[in-house]
Amino acid sequence: MIIAVDGPAASGKGTLASGLARHYGLPHLDTGLLYRAVGRAVSDWEDQPGFEDAAIAAARALDASHLADVTELTSARSGVLASKVAVIGPVRAALFDYQRNFATQPGGAVLDGRDIGTNICPDADVKLFIQADSKARMERRARQLESRGLEVDRYALYHQIEERDARDMANPNGGFYKADDAHLLDTTLLDIEAALRAAIAIVETTMAHKAKL
Ligand code: C5P
């Protein structure tokens, strides 16, 4: 079974995807980490002429060893860098096979990101699109960073998330919208447990419905 989980920054999609993976005993790939790793690799080139070429080369050289430093990769700064490399078409193309191979491994997988249901796995068995309002998303991300002992400027974080949303939505090479057959799950008023229960209910209902066809 392939489960695609998409949604904007800090919507809770990563937590839900890893909860679904645990529940169904499936491997999980946070595809945002791939873009974050590429962004980190070219941070010295940010806003300079060689940025695109460096990002394309970094994406082509990417392997699992670049995804190990999760603390560094999940910083707010890495998120901004990720969204800057994610608009480059050849970067997305270079990362496609890694994601597709992960998704099609025997037994299936759970992947979360922005374009899983639209570009990477248009054939996924279940697609979820996770939404939450911007303030709730900022507060969640702030608490996540604070739990790691980091100091958070909430005002700056809110604007960073909005800036990233805007860049992602305008990405000419993305597919950052809800797939027609994706189920919308708004987690603004849900805690993690309630959101996971709702996501599992969607997976169960969808699979039961497909089994009847
Ligand atoms: O999901 P996360 O917030 O870690 O993603 C970081 C950035 O990577 C996003 O803002 C987006 O620009 C990019 N991304 C993407 N496609 C994906 C996953 C992430 O373009 N499948």
Side-chain angles (χ1 to χ4, degrees):
M1 170 167 71
I2 299 177
I3 304 178
V5 184
D6 288 306
S11 56
K13 63 186 183 311
T15 309
L16 280 179
S18 77
L20 286 170
R22 242 189 341 271
H23 184 80
Y24 290 106
L26 293 169
H28 166 223
L29 179 64
D30 168 356
T31 64
L33 286 182
L34 307 180
Y35 292 91
R36 286 168 180 266
V38 174
R40 276 291 6 147
V42 297
S43 57
D44 289 348
W45 292 85
E46 191 180 7
D47 301 329
Q48 289 181 44
F51 184 71
E52 267 201 40
D53 288 342
I56 295 165
R60 290 185 179 147
L62 192 86
D63 63 41
S65 68
H66 298 107
L67 309 179
D69 189 353
V70 174
T71 307
E72 179 71 51
L73 293 180
T74 50
S75 70
R77 167 99 182 103
S78 298
V80 172
L81 284 164
S83 71
K84 290 190 176 181
V85 298
V87 297
I88 304 167
V91 166
R92 304 198 74 81
L95 299 180
F96 181 88
D97 284 349
Y98 188 101
Q99 297 172 81
R100 187 70 201 159
N101 290 338
F102 191 93
T104 55
Q105 62 187 292
V110 182
L111 286 83
D112 76 85
R114 297 289 187 297
D115 63 341
I116 308 303
T118 50
N119 290 334
I120 307 295
C121 300
D123 52 347
D125 297 288
V126 186
K127 298 180 186 177
L128 291 161
F129 191 89
I130 313 302
Q131 186 59 279
D133 76 29
S134 306
K135 261 181 104 178
R137 292 190 282 132
M138 179 278 287
E139 193 51 43
R140 279 181 201 159
R141 183 52 55 89
R143 292 198 189 144
Q144 207 177 54
L145 295 170
E146 282 168 349
S147 73
R148 285 193 222 134
L150 298 169
E151 242 181 66
V152 176
D153 173 344
R154 281 174 163 67
Y155 181 79
L157 184 62
Y158 183 81
H159 285 285
Q160 245 170 20
I161 288 177
E162 295 258 293
E163 177 199 329
R164 202 139 69 82
D165 279 353
R167 195 178 293 117
D168 285 347
M169 299 309 284
N171 187 342
N173 296 304
F176 299 161
Y177 49 86
K178 179 184 157 302
D180 286 342
D181 52 348
H183 300 268
L184 183 69
L185 176 56
D186 192 313
T187 64
T188 306
L189 300 174
L190 302 179
D191 62 21
I192 292 168
E193 288 77 21
L196 183 57
R197 276 198 302 276
I200 291 170
I202 291 170
V203 174
E204 294 296 321
T205 312
T206 307
M207 293 309 280
H209 180 70
K210 287 196 169 177
K212 278 197 206 144
L213 295 177

